[in-house]
Amino acid sequence: MYLNLLNERIFLAGRSGMVGNAIFKALRKYNPNFIKNGQLLIPSREELNLLNKKEVDDWFNKNKPTVVVIAAAKVGGIHANSTNPASFLLDNLKIQTNIIETSWDRKVKRLLFLGSSCIYPKYASQPIQEDSLLTGPLEKNK
């Protein structure tokens, strides 16, 4: 199936992360003019606080995306996640809920939500590279 995005306004949440950056590069390759034409919407954290429902609503009203890709999340290493699990879970639920609910309310045509867990080996070289994925045993749950 071919997905035509040429006439869409695409909101990429999480562009600065590893997955978001890969999506950004793929979209730029798909159409190098997306950014120049204002079709690829990639607000920074300073421009849009995804934890704030009103900011998300206001941003959607102003920018009117038709396609939404959620690659945004509060992230941290294994230690941060294991010492503050509720903080990560609650913030990520807020981010996802704010974007998904607002997308639904604004009748966004397409929404892609990417979720993940810690999928890199415990002893991966630092800084972790994408090609380290599944090259050794994962961190065990405690």
Side-chain angles (χ1 to χ4, degrees), residues 37-120:
N37 295 343
Q39 292 173 265
L40 184 55
L41 310 167
I42 47 173
S44 68
R45 287 183 189 141
E46 292 75 28
E47 295 169 312
L48 176 58
N49 178 1
L50 297 172
L51 292 167
N52 184 308
K53 177 76 164 91
K54 181 169 178 5
E55 279 192 39
V56 174
D57 286 338
D58 291 347
W59 187 90
F60 267 71
N61 284 337
K62 178 181 177 187
N63 293 282
K64 301 183 181 358
T66 57
V67 173
V68 173
V69 179
I70 307 172
K74 178 178 181 176
V75 296
I78 293 166
H79 178 72
N81 277 274
S82 63
T83 57
N84 299 299
S87 172
F88 282 85
L89 179 62
L90 292 171
D91 282 356
N92 286 327
L93 286 170
K94 287 176 191 173
I95 290 168
Q96 297 152 15
T97 302
N98 289 343
I99 297 172
I100 293 169
E101 183 177 4
T102 304
S103 294
W104 176 259
D105 290 344
R106 301 305 180 284
K107 299 184 178 15
V108 165
K109 287 193 228 176
R110 290 188 168 85
L111 182 135
L112 175 63
F113 170 47
L114 303 165
S116 71
S117 182
C118 185
I119 56 173
Y120 289 93

